[in-house]
Amino acid sequence: MPDSLNHADLGELPAWDLSDLYAGPDCPALAADLTQADADAAAFAERYQGKLAGLSGAELAQAVADYEKLDEVLSKVMSFAGLLYASNMADPNIGRFYQGMSERVTGISVHLLFFTLEINRLEDAALEAKLASPALAAYRPFLRDTRIFRPHQLADELEKLLHEKYVAGRAAWTRLFDEHLADLRFPIRGDELTSAQALNLLSSTDAAVRREAAQVLGEVLGKNQRTFAHIMNTLIKDKEIEDRWRSYANPWSSRNLANQVEDEVVDALLSSVRAAYPRLSHRYYALKAKWFGQDKLDYWDRNAPLPGDDDRKIPWADAKRIVRDAYARFSPRMAEIGQHFFDNPWIDVPPRPGKNPGAFAHPVVPSAHPYLLLNYMGRTRDVMTLAHELGHGVHQYLCREQGHLQASTPLTLAETASVFGEMLTFRGLLDATTDPKKRKALLAGKVEDMINTVVRQIAFYQFERKLHTERREGELSAERIADIWMEVQTESLGPAFRWEDSYRPYWTYIGHFVHSPFYVYAYAFGDCLVNSLYAAYQEAAAKGQGAEFADKYMEMLSAAGTLHHTDLLAPFGLNLKDPSFWNKGLGLLDSFITELEGL
């Protein structure tokens, strides 16, 4: 087995325990919750359907509270099923359980569908009069976020049809993608590896291992690209049909609306990053090629460790300490909340066959707690992933106080806490590193992570825009999708790479394209935002006001999505509509590359 797959030196890697939700798929409490929710949902519809306009503010507040309680139970059930599925997507019994829960919960929630539709039919003046009730005013953010979709709402029967068909449509195709990718094996050095394990080898210190892993990935993904292309074509067409019925101007319009961010803000981010490609990614990879003694890098060397890197593995216990200490230096409360995840079985850490190959934090519901999924392999980048997902976890834990209906955060701001956690951890590591060689490796690793977060994710977003736009003219072949993929990769990563055909099908494994179309710009959004936020923190700390800043930061996280980004960021003097904002955020990455050029 290649050395980078040997986890014996990482210490005990904990798995999560989902019994805080339910003891198992056959748990009596789960069956009882579903039975009760079914009865309660039918009674809710009987009590309120067709009657919202005639309710007083206090009565409507009670209706929202009843709806919130019901929706939280259904969300808890689906969180349990989804987390169980993510832990082993290769088990057909778990797959059937997940599908069964999806169908059962969808069937129950049909009784509740009328509620938000009817809220959106209330006239503005009538709703505002009801909001004079303090009990209803507490739900103002929920009502605001529900009503932003009013112009795109369909007739009740159509909404019901789309709702019921979801489990046999988009959800089914998404499940096919997940299970197909989880089933793939990549034969490398005598081992049959998962996609996560194979992709990890692209960061091996052994150039021969990197090359073999890259080519095997391309070969296996290439053999399966027709299936992935069919999934992608179907999902994009499904979205195009619904977008057309709902009168969305562009394929990405619904995402921006859900993120509560204006189109011009996202367009400004996109244009700023694309204009910065030459001075960021192009410049850095030309520098890296020079370090490797080459004119150009092979594509499998994009994330390769620097020459002379000792590839030291970081045990799990050390990773926890590094992240915890970084959080504690910023905010003891932040570290204290993060410690809950380490003290309890809330994190699933080790890679294993069938497991979701990525990393995520799931908020679950306020009456429970978030769970994190990692595939920890002991690299510095894995420590940064822990810092990232724990940032999400802390944020989600804090948001619980807003209640189930108001605990979620738009994706753009949801990435703030995670990327800020990464930055705190990186700064902690950098400040503790005095050896010039190790400092260079650490700084280069951070630059690559930032390029992956900003440049690469904007390239992904551009890929999706091109794909969805062209798909409107007809189905795209796997070869055409690969052509578009190579266009945006070449533009974003620059002339310092040697490409091979084996890289063409690499678009196939990126789950965000399937699970959350146009999600990816949120990473670049969060990174640039955090760079500006961290600069404001440094200024405050230099004035002896670091603790006050940390308090304001934790307060911002606790607000979840109840406030618009303009109000959330005003205390820090940040304005996303300022044309210079994004360039300011990109300036930090620029300065890191300049520092590397001088080493």
Side-chain angles (χ1 to χ4, degrees), residues 443-518:
L443 196 57
K446 181 58 178 173
V447 165
E448 291 185 13
D449 284 345
M450 292 175 77
I451 288 174
N452 284 337
T453 302
V454 179
V455 171
R456 190 162 164 79
Q457 299 301 329
I458 287 298
F460 285 175
Y461 179 62
Q462 186 70 1
F463 170 72
E464 286 188 280
R465 284 176 68 127
K466 287 174 176 283
L467 208 59
H468 282 248
T469 300
E470 192 167 319
R471 175 64 179 91
R472 292 189 170 191
E473 303 303 315
E475 183 168 295
L476 304 178
S477 67
E479 284 301 310
R480 178 55 191 150
I481 296 174
D483 288 341
I484 298 171
W485 170 254
M486 293 306 299
E487 286 171 18
V488 297
Q489 293 299 299
T490 303
E491 179 198 10
S492 61
L493 298 177
F497 282 97
R498 279 187 293 268
W499 303 106
E500 288 189 1
D501 284 349
S502 55
Y503 187 68
R504 287 174 59 81
Y506 271 52
W507 61 271
T508 57
Y509 74 84
I510 299 167
H512 283 315
F513 299 155
V514 171
H515 289 272
S516 304
F518 303 105

Side-chain angles (χ1 to χ4, degrees), residues 271-289:
S271 60
S272 294
V273 174
R274 290 184 71 194
Y277 285 165
R279 74 174 192 271
L280 299 179
S281 47
H282 297 189
R283 177 173 157 223
Y284 172 75
Y285 288 124
L287 181 63
K288 186 169 185 176

Side-chain angles (χ1 to χ4, degrees), residues 31 134 256 550:
N256 291 353

